Every structure is written in C-alpha cells, then in structure tokens.
C-alpha cells in the first residue's frame, strides 16, 4: 500500500546533504525538528520558513522533549547524558552525565503540578534504570530512581 504525502519538507545539513530526521514535535504555530546530526530546526508551516536554531557536536540524541511551558527542551543521548536547552536563545543551560553504562534512551516532562512547577522529568536508560530528576538553577537534581528489572519479575 502506498500513502501519498500531503506535503514534503526538505531539510539539509550545512554540507548540503539531505538531513535524516530523528524527531519532530508539533506545536500549534510551528514544529521543532531534530536531525541525525543533532541539529535542531524550527519550522513554521504557514510561511514554510526553516530556521536552524541549534547545532550540537556531542553525537546522536535518542529522545527529545519540548517544555510545555517555555522555549526549553531536554534531550537524552547515546552517551548517557541529558541536556537542558534554551532553543529560543540558542544555548545549552547545562547537562548531566549519570554514572551508568546505559544510554539515556527516553525523556519526558512530568505533568505540571503545584509541587513540581513543571520542573521535573523522567528519564529512561538502556540499563533498566528510570531516573526522576528536577531542574534547579545550575544542574539536574536526582529525585529518585527505579531499577525496572525488580518490578518485572
């Protein structure tokens, strides 16, 4: 079965090669797109405008989550590191590498509550550990962790 696309959007890296797309987050007025080279793009569908907003040199990201509250995003990487990014101002706030042999495979914001003020995340690692982290002024703070293999038996 063939599904005909309604629209195709072409992104290219600085070397003029087609960019492999790893991740897309759709917002009401724009999309945030991350390519395989780690570059972060903002795409405005109405105007067809593409803007390279951040480039990374640290390797492949495995997951990405845009904050529901502001122009921040968090990423989880092949290197086991998580990063807090301000894509509005094109900079990285901070990062943390956990003492793990696993990759940081998934990341997401916890639902907003009065207690967490939208500043808590859940991060999954390939070694079976799930970490709950908070954002403070200078770093990610470990709140608690779960070893999932204990719950699967």
């Amino acid at each position: 079965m063939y599904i005909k696309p309604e629209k195709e959007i072409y992104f290219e890296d600085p070397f003029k090669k087609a960019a492999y797309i790893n991740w897309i987050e759709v917002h009401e007025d724009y999309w945030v797109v991350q390519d395989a080279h780690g570059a972060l793009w903002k795409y405005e569908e109405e105007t067809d405008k593409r803007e390279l907003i951040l480039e990374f040199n640290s390797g492949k990201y495995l997951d990405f989550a845009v904050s529901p509250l502001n122009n921040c995003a968090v990423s989880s990487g092949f290197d086991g590191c998580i990063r807090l990014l301000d894509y509005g101002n094109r900079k990285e706030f901070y990062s943390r590498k956990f003492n793990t042999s696993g990759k940081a495979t998934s990341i997401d914001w916890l639902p907003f509550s009065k207690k967490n003020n939208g500043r808590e995340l859940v991060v999954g690692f390939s070694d079976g550990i799930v970490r709950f982290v908070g954002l403070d002024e200078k770093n990610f703070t470990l709140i608690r962790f779960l070893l999932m293999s204990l719950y699967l038996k």
Side-chain angles (χ1 to χ4, degrees), residues 41-58:
W41 301 81
K42 181 177 180 182
Y43 172 71
E44 295 175 7
E45 186 175 17
E46 188 173 304
T47 62
D48 200 38
K49 179 182 173 187
R50 296 162 194 84
E51 178 185 1
L52 180 63
I53 54 179
L54 281 175
E55 285 187 274
F56 307 102
N57 298 320
S58 58

Side-chain angles (χ1 to χ4, degrees), residues 31-144:
W31 302 359
V32 179
V33 179
Q34 189 242 333
D35 70 23
H37 305 291
L40 193 62
W41 301 81
K42 181 177 180 182
Y43 172 71
E44 295 175 7
E45 186 175 17
E46 188 173 304
T47 62
D48 200 38
K49 179 182 173 187
R50 296 162 194 84
E51 178 185 1
L52 180 63
I53 54 179
L54 281 175
E55 285 187 274
F56 307 102
N57 298 320
S58 58
K60 184 177 178 183
Y61 286 100
L62 298 177
D63 200 10
F64 210 83
V66 175
S67 169
L69 302 176
N70 52 39
N71 285 337
C72 291
V74 289
S75 66
S76 60
F78 193 79
D79 57 358
C81 192
I82 60 174
R83 290 177 169 76
L84 177 63
L85 309 162
D86 177 351
Y87 62 84
N89 291 314
R90 300 179 184 206
K91 68 177 185 175
E92 179 179 302
F93 280 121
Y94 49 78
S95 64
R96 180 168 178 183
K97 173 130 174 58
F98 289 92
N99 187 13
T100 180
S101 61
K103 304 171 191 88
T105 57
S106 59
I107 194 165
D108 208 352
W109 297 88
L110 291 175
F112 180 88
S113 70
K114 288 183 181 180
K115 182 179 176 185
N116 71 24
N117 287 320
R119 297 180 61 84
E120 290 185 7
L121 309 163
V122 60
V123 187
F125 291 81
S126 63
D127 59 4
I129 296 177
V130 176
R131 290 177 172 89
F132 295 85
V133 297
L135 283 64
D136 65 21
E137 295 299 317
K138 297 182 181 177
N139 205 348
F140 293 103
T141 304
L142 182 63
I143 298 169
R144 70 180 184 273

Side-chain angles (χ1 to χ4, degrees), residues 9 11 21-27 30-34 43 64 66:
I9 304 160
F11 291 88
I21 304 301
N22 279 349
W23 171 91
I24 300 172
E25 173 105 11
V26 179
H27 291 264
Y30 62 94
W31 302 359
V32 179
V33 179
Q34 189 242 333
Y43 172 71
F64 210 83
V66 175

